[in-house]
Amino acid sequence: MAAIQINLISGRTIQQGVSMENGKEKLAYRDACGILELDDAEFKRLGCFKNTNVRVSSEFGSVVVKAIGATQGPHPGLGWIPMGPWANAVVNPNTYSTGMPTFKGTPVTVDVAEDEVVLDAIALITEECL
Amino acid sequence: MAKIVTDVVCPFCGTLCDDLEVALSDDGEEILEVYNACTIGATKFLHSQAKDRVTRPQMKQEDGSWKEVTYDEAVEYTANLLVDAKKPLMYGWSSTSCTAQGTGSEIGEIVGACMDNTATVCHGSTLIAVQDVGVPSATLGEIANRADRVVFWGCNPAHAHPRHMSRYSIFPRGFFTGKGSKSRKMFVVDPRNTDTAKMADVHLQLEQGHDYELLSAIRVALRGEALPDFVAGIPKEQIYETAETLRSGRFTVIFFGMGVTHSLGKNHNIDIAIAVTRDLNDYTKAAIVPMRGHYNVTGSGQVWGWQFGFPFCLDLTRGFARYNPGDSSSNDLLIRDEVDAVFVLGSDPGAHFPVGSVKKIAQLPSVCIDPHITPTSAVSKLHVPVAFVGVEVGGCAYRMDNVPIETRKVVEPPEGMLTDEEFLQKVLTRVRELKGAA
Ligand code: SF4
């Protein structure tokens, strides 16, 4: 099983919106946003099946999410984590004097982390911050 | 027979749909069904009824557990937190009414706060660009009636603004667009093959982060000058064709979203998107509209525009407004350890700021005013639940095209619960007392 390098972007999905309004403390929010969407070719390079937990790391942090097949793809070379605390654990916080963090286009490394769990939003933020 | 409330406004996204119908129980106390809304909007209304909803303020104890406190104690803590701080950050303001935003500004002015809204993580770059170069814009009604070339650049309304296409931009039959979607050519520019892109006549699947180059290439094509074979991964023939189609329409509109504002280039990407729109106006009518996210983030920029002259990133610490994104913006202030208290209302930086900023919030005296339990409330010292604006209390909100719409109250909030505006008024009164400015 190899680690792969991809370009990470994040943004809204309808499941993200619905689960957020249903309560960010619920597991449905984790299931909607604690995911990484990858193309088939990326799964081959990574050497694992879909729906495997993976660790996504950048120079700004790292987080465990579940890798699933791209629902709005293909998008070769891109990884997608819906906006939320999981994506924000690894994005580039630099604003380059604009006030706006660089949420899209973070180079990340992905490797398989089968034995690790995807935390829910509150547990994740508590573990990272408190 | 259920009671139906009509013409209800959806308080979720900047589309601000104003045609919802809500079915209430006979006594008018419970929401049974929400008609016309998309699934996100309907969920927002229905979740307000959740049995496990927090209805009283809670203070975090030494051991990490939560203890219920009264609203008066919450007001006292919040007022003292703001008055004691040298440079408090008052962030959020996008999921509440313009009146509450105005009251918040009064507090911010008295305590000398840095005030910022969620534009700082969504369309802040747009606001910078618009202030730099101006913007040729239009209302969504005008677009529904006239637009025959519709571009979605770096946005995915199928997911983020689910009824935008059906109410305004693609499907409605307007005065000059009688055949609905058949009257229009739809373009999507996105590095992913999104559900919006799948519906488009043309999908330009550009290389992520190369928006500036592609927009620049469209300007070149509009001038009939030579292009290299590929720009941003798109073949030049397709760029010439796109420019020609946009130019030949009667009314072109460019909607753009986070793909443009979040990628490197930021405000410069929007500068040039506006320049493309200007160029198109040499040939036809063209407008550009940002796809604003929170239902009243636009209103927050409007209110601060009237009050202070700037739409976000306000620094009031010297008693007058200064504005310097990159310096007076929330994430920069937090990362540089420049604020000593955090007040959040109508937003969730805990979920939507880079984690380094959230760590700073967790270390500071902090209060989170929000109907929901969120990652922000989890890292704050005090969580004050309030009524849902647009569900349990009315108030003005601005749609993404800067049209103000009065949202409606549908049901009563849980017994004894305050609204944002009521809570802020109490804090304002207490802040005035503490400052001796009553
Ligand atoms: S599109 Fe936006 S405003 Fe309209 S119903 Fe859906 S969430 Fe509400």
Side-chain angles (χ1 to χ4, degrees):
Chain A
M1 282 184 268
I4 61 166
Q5 257 88 42
I6 50 167
N7 182 13
L8 183 75
I9 58 176
S10 73
R12 282 198 186 274
T13 66
I14 201 157
Q15 298 82 357
Q16 176 260 338
V18 170
S19 61
M20 171 172 100
E21 286 305 324
N22 256 327
K24 290 188 182 128
E25 74 281 19
K26 310 261 162 59
L27 284 181
Y29 182 55
R30 177 198 70 180
D31 296 344
C33 302
I35 54 170
L36 168 69
E37 294 196 16
L38 290 176
D39 288 349
D40 290 352
E42 253 75 65
F43 275 104
K44 276 207 185 103
R45 289 205 290 141
L46 196 55
C48 73
F49 290 114
K50 289 177 184 169
N51 302 320
T52 305
N53 287 359
V54 295
R55 179 168 284 280
V56 181
S57 317
S58 72
E59 63 174 295
F60 312 105
S62 105
V63 69
V64 177
V65 290
K66 181 192 274 193
I68 66 163
T71 55
Q72 299 182 69
H75 40 57
L78 279 186
W80 167 268
I81 303 182
M83 70 188 256
W86 297 269
N88 281 323
V90 296
V91 295
N92 179 356
N94 290 325
T95 80
Y96 304 107
S97 297
T98 63
M100 176 75 73
T102 310
F103 289 105
K104 295 189 169 65
T106 314
V108 294
T109 305
V110 180
D111 54 327
V112 176
E114 268 167 318
D115 301 330
E116 298 190 51
V117 290
V118 183
L119 297 176
D120 69 65
I122 306 294
L124 176 68
I125 214 78
T126 310
E127 189 186 282
E128 297 252 10
C129 300
L130 294 175
Chain B
M1 259 282 288
K3 188 175 141 203
I4 306 278
V5 190
T6 58
D7 304 305
V8 175
V9 180
C10 172
F12 180 76
C13 82
T15 312
L16 219 58
C17 298
D18 52 6
D19 61 344
L20 272 49
E21 297 190 350
V22 178
L24 301 180
S25 57
D26 288 338
D27 55 8
E29 279 180 11
E30 210 185 318
I31 297 176
L32 304 175
E33 286 281 357
V34 183
Y35 304 111
N36 299 345
C38 71
T39 167
I40 308 178
T43 305
K44 177 152 188 180
F45 279 89
L46 294 169
H47 183 62
S48 69
Q49 310 272 301
K51 297 280 177 283
D52 59 353
R53 180 167 165 189
V54 184
T55 54
R56 288 294 175 272
Q58 314 181 77
M59 189 78 97
K60 192 174 276 170
Q61 305 299 295
E62 289 288 327
D63 63 358
S65 63
W66 292 92
K67 180 178 159 227
E68 194 173 300
V69 295
T70 63
Y71 274 107
D72 287 341
E73 287 169 302
V75 168
E76 189 63 26
Y77 176 87
T78 307
N80 277 290
L81 165 141
L82 291 170
V83 168
D84 292 346
K86 277 208 179 83
K87 194 172 183 178
L89 170 65
M90 296 179 75
Y91 173 77
W93 309 107
S94 300
S95 288
T96 192
S97 65
C98 293
T99 325
Q101 290 161 355
T103 308
S105 309
E106 272 184 70
I107 300 173
E109 220 169 350
I110 299 174
V111 301
C114 284
M115 299 190 70
D116 204 0
N117 57 38
T118 59
T120 207
V121 285
C122 67
H123 273 287
S125 337
T126 307
L127 299 169
I128 297 173
V130 167
Q131 283 194 320
D132 284 348
V133 298
V135 65
S137 198
T139 64
L140 295 179
E142 210 178 343
I143 287 158
N145 281 304
R146 294 176 186 273
D148 60 349
R149 303 283 187 267
V150 181
V151 184
F152 291 109
W153 197 302
C155 57
N156 187 6
H159 282 255
H161 300 87
R163 296 184 70 219
H164 190 279
M165 287 186 284
S166 60
R167 270 176 64 83
Y168 304 112
S169 46
I170 300 294
F171 298 108
R173 295 165 193 266
F175 196 81
F176 300 103
T177 50
K179 291 194 186 133
S181 63
K182 291 203 179 70
S183 319
R184 310 176 205 264
K185 278 251 175 304
M186 174 178 170
F187 290 78
V188 170
V189 187
D190 201 297
R192 296 191 310 145
N193 186 17
T194 60
D195 289 333
T196 309
K198 286 168 193 153
M199 296 163 61
D201 295 293
V202 181
H203 173 207
L204 302 174
Q205 193 165 5
L206 84 172
E207 287 166 17
Q208 192 275 327
H210 290 260
D211 305 77
Y212 192 93
E213 288 89 328
L214 188 55
L215 285 156
S216 192
I218 291 178
R219 298 192 77 190
V220 171
L222 282 171
R223 284 169 174 68
E225 302 287 345
L227 281 173
D229 290 345
F230 287 90
V231 178
I234 308 294
K236 68 175 176 191
E237 295 74 24
Q238 207 175 12
I239 300 172
Y240 283 120
E241 228 171 275
T242 301
E244 186 48 41
T245 319
L246 296 183
R247 161 168 58 193
S248 63
R250 285 181 310 176
F251 188 135
T252 299
V253 59
I254 302 174
F255 290 105
F256 67 100
M258 305 296 96
V260 186
T261 64
H262 281 172
S263 297
L264 282 179
K266 309 211 173 141
N267 53 313
H268 299 292
N269 296 333
I270 297 130
D271 281 351
I272 195 158
I274 293 171
V276 168
T277 316
R278 288 226 174 108
D279 289 353
L280 286 167
N281 271 297
D282 288 344
Y283 306 96
T284 180
K285 166 89 181 142
I288 181 164
V289 179
M291 300 285 274
R292 307 300 303 267
H294 283 72
Y295 72 91
N296 200 21
V297 59
T298 313
S300 157
Q302 289 280 355
V303 168
W304 290 353
W306 317 321
Q307 293 183 324
F308 304 111
F310 307 111
F312 77 128
C313 296
L314 297 169
D315 180 344
L316 303 172
T317 48
R318 293 195 188 172
F320 57 91
R322 289 185 301 152
Y323 163 79
N324 194 7
D327 169 26
S328 58
S329 32
S330 317
N331 279 287
D332 296 279
L333 288 166
L334 286 165
I335 298 268
R336 289 197 312 258
D337 273 326
E338 282 187 20
V339 286
D340 53 355
V342 180
F343 168 107
V344 177
L345 184 147
S347 165
D348 183 12
H352 300 143
F353 275 8
V355 69
S357 304
V358 187
K359 279 183 191 158
K360 297 294 168 65
I361 298 177
Q363 290 158 8
L364 294 170
S366 49
V367 50
C368 167
I369 296 128
D370 197 304
H372 300 279
I373 295 172
T374 65
T376 309
S377 71
V379 299
S380 296
K381 308 289 176 293
L382 170 67
H383 175 207
V384 185
V386 277
F388 280 84
V389 176
V391 181
E392 295 161 344
V393 58
C396 178
Y398 275 70
R399 202 167 64 186
M400 61 168 69
D401 56 350
N402 289 304
V403 171
I405 295 177
E406 192 67 22
T407 67
R408 299 191 67 176
K409 172 178 177 163
V410 182
V411 285
E412 289 293 333
E415 178 97 24
M417 190 171 229
L418 296 186
T419 65
D420 286 327
E421 170 61 5
E422 287 164 345
F423 183 74
L424 288 167
Q425 280 295 350
K426 283 177 187 276
V427 173
L428 175 61
T429 307
R430 188 67 188 121
V431 163
R432 282 203 180 117
E433 282 167 13
L434 290 169
K435 283 277 192 182

